[in-house]
Every structure is written in structure tokens, then in C-alpha cells.
Amino acid sequence: MRHNTTAFIICLVFMISLALPLGAEEKMDHSGMSHGSHAGQLIRETSVEGYGLTYRLIDMQARMKDMADMPEMEATHHLMLYIHPPAGNSIEQPRVGFLVEDPDGETQKVMAMAMSGGFGADLDLSQKGDYTIKSKAVFGDVKLIDEFKYTPE
């Protein structure tokens, strides 16, 4: 149990360190924001009900392989979702979650945390093959749902 707690704390500190340059916001307006400053590989850009959705994936194992004394983590990747409201709108107190189905049909259901101007969660994408990623963001009277297939490299 102590090993899992230590690994969780180290992972949390690492993720917070990624978030510090941009800061997490409860009220966000990204109408003029440049996407070039976000970390990770761009894996999807789409629009749902006028809101832009940008997904970026961070390979945590690749980033941490050169860090000495790092405990092994269950999560292999960190998925970020950035929500861009229509001009003049803002997003207040959003709740964001992911439901990820692996190639064998097993699912991971995770709630995302606000960080770096977006919402992120750790995932295990260690299997070869296609994953189905569903996201849901709820704020005010708005419910955004998106689904897509992704195959890790």
C-alpha cells in the first residue's frame, strides 16, 4: 500500500509541475489561445455544439524513463482535453470524464482534473490495437459528448 501511495504522490507532483506554467482555471475563456504551448501529441481536434475540443496525449513512460528512482506506474499516458468555447462564452466549474475501451473490450473510467488550461487524466494504453475514447464535459446547462478511435504508436 505504501508503494502505491508513493507512486501516486510522485505522479501527482509530476502532473502538477506540467500544469504550473499555464495554471488551472475554474473560469476559462480560450477564444484567443494558441494551442502551440500545450504539451503532448495532438491526437484529435473537433467541434461539438460550437465548442472546440482539442485532445493531446502525453507518453508518461517516455518522459519518465530517464528519471532515476522512479517507481513503476500503472498509467502509461496522460490524456488532456482542452475545451474552447464559442466567442464571448466562458466555461465555469466544468466536470470532465473519460471512458476508454481497450482492444479487448475492458474499460477505464476516469474523472479528469483541471490543469494547464485543460482537463487531464492518467490512462493505461499499453495494449496494441484500437482504443475507443469517449469524453463527457458538463458545465451549466451544457453537456458535450465526443467519441473517437485512437491507436497508440
Side-chain angles (χ1 to χ4, degrees), residues 2-3 9 19-20 23 31 35 96 114 119 136-137 139 147 153:
R2 185 175 177 104
H3 177 71
I9 291 170
L20 288 177
S31 56
H35 305 307
V96 176
F119 304 89
K136 181 177 180 181
F139 46 94
E147 179 178 337
E153 296 175 0

Side-chain angles (χ1 to χ4, degrees), residues 113-129:
M113 293 177 30
M115 60 179 62
S116 299
F119 304 89
D122 292 343
L123 300 172
D124 177 9
L125 304 180
S126 58
Q127 282 189 302
K128 301 280 186 207

Side-chain angles (χ1 to χ4, degrees), residues 1-112:
M1 180 71 170
R2 185 175 177 104
H3 177 71
N4 287 341
T5 302
T6 303
F8 174 76
I9 291 170
I10 290 170
C11 181
L12 184 61
V13 169
F14 175 73
M15 291 295 113
I16 290 171
S17 71
L18 290 175
L20 288 177
L22 296 175
E25 305 165 321
E26 282 190 31
K27 183 176 181 178
M28 300 182 306
D29 180 2
H30 296 290
S31 56
M33 184 176 214
S34 165
H35 305 307
S37 63
H38 298 303
Q41 173 191 7
L42 177 65
I43 63 168
R44 178 174 173 81
E45 285 186 303
T46 191
S47 179
V48 175
E49 296 185 30
Y51 290 80
L53 304 179
T54 302
Y55 296 85
R56 292 191 169 272
L57 192 64
I58 300 167
D59 185 338
M60 291 173 29
Q61 289 182 336
R63 283 200 173 188
M64 297 179 130
K65 73 178 179 181
D66 295 330
M67 294 181 179
D69 300 324
M70 287 298 294
E72 188 171 326
M73 299 177 354
E74 290 181 28
T76 60
H77 293 78
H78 187 77
L79 180 62
M80 291 293 299
L81 170 59
Y82 300 93
I83 303 171
H84 315 287
N89 291 351
S90 64
I91 300 172
E92 295 187 36
Q93 300 179 346
R95 290 174 295 158
V96 176
F98 300 114
L99 180 66
V100 179
E101 184 177 320
D102 71 21
D104 291 337
E106 298 292 321
T107 59
Q108 300 171 63
K109 185 176 184 179
V110 294
M111 291 301 296

